[in-house]
């Protein structure tokens, strides 16, 4: 899962920076600034590595996906797809943990 988190962070940060670089060439100023939110979302995914709580990791990954799509738009979709895969893995871990608690 660590590899997926690093891949998602890489996609989110690099694609958002590429969008920022090409956004500077337009006359419209707001999309260039908003793509920085995609970079922040990519960094936010890295924070899920520090958390040991599975629910908190799921919240961080979900928040990162939402923030990235709002900030970078379609440029963040590769990272969002990887975030969805991370969410499925976290959901599976959470179910396994809950069944162990019940036993």
């Amino acid at each position: 899962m660590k590899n997926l988190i690093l891949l998602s962070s890489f996609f989110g940060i690099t694609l958002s920076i590429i969008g920022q670089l090409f956004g500077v060439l337009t006359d419209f100023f707001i999309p260039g600034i908003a793509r920085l939110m995609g970079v922040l979302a990519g960094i936010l995914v890295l924070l899920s590595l520090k958390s040991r709580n599975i629910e908190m990791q799921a919240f961080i990954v979900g928040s990162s996906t939402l923030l990235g799509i709002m900030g970078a738009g379609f440029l963040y979709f590769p990272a969002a797809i990887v975030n969805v895969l991370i969410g499925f893995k976290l959901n599976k871990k959470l179910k396994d943990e809950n069944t162990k608690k019940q036993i």
Side-chain angles (χ1 to χ4, degrees), residues 18-31:
I18 288 171
Q20 173 68 24
L21 291 175
F22 289 120
V24 172
L25 298 175
T26 65
D27 291 335
F28 194 58
F29 190 65
I30 299 298

Side-chain angles (χ1 to χ4, degrees), residues 1 58 61 82-93:
M1 189 164 85
V61 170
V82 176
N83 282 352
V84 169
L85 293 174
I86 293 169
F88 284 139
K89 285 191 173 244
L90 287 173
N91 192 19
K92 184 178 178 185
K93 250 189 203 181

Side-chain angles (χ1 to χ4, degrees), residues 25-95:
L25 298 175
T26 65
D27 291 335
F28 194 58
F29 190 65
I30 299 298
I33 301 273
R35 282 186 176 77
L36 289 176
M37 286 177 33
V39 173
L40 292 175
I43 294 171
L44 186 63
V45 171
L46 289 175
L47 289 178
S48 67
L49 288 174
K50 294 292 183 186
S51 177
R52 299 287 178 215
N53 190 353
I54 295 174
E55 291 93 358
M56 183 58 74
Q57 286 178 341
F59 177 75
I60 291 171
V61 170
S63 300
S64 169
T65 305
L66 185 65
L67 183 66
I69 290 175
M70 283 180 4
F74 68 92
L75 292 175
Y76 200 79
F77 278 126
I81 291 170
V82 176
N83 282 352
V84 169
L85 293 174
I86 293 169
F88 284 139
K89 285 191 173 244
L90 287 173
N91 192 19
K92 184 178 178 185
K93 250 189 203 181
L94 189 61
K95 283 183 182 179

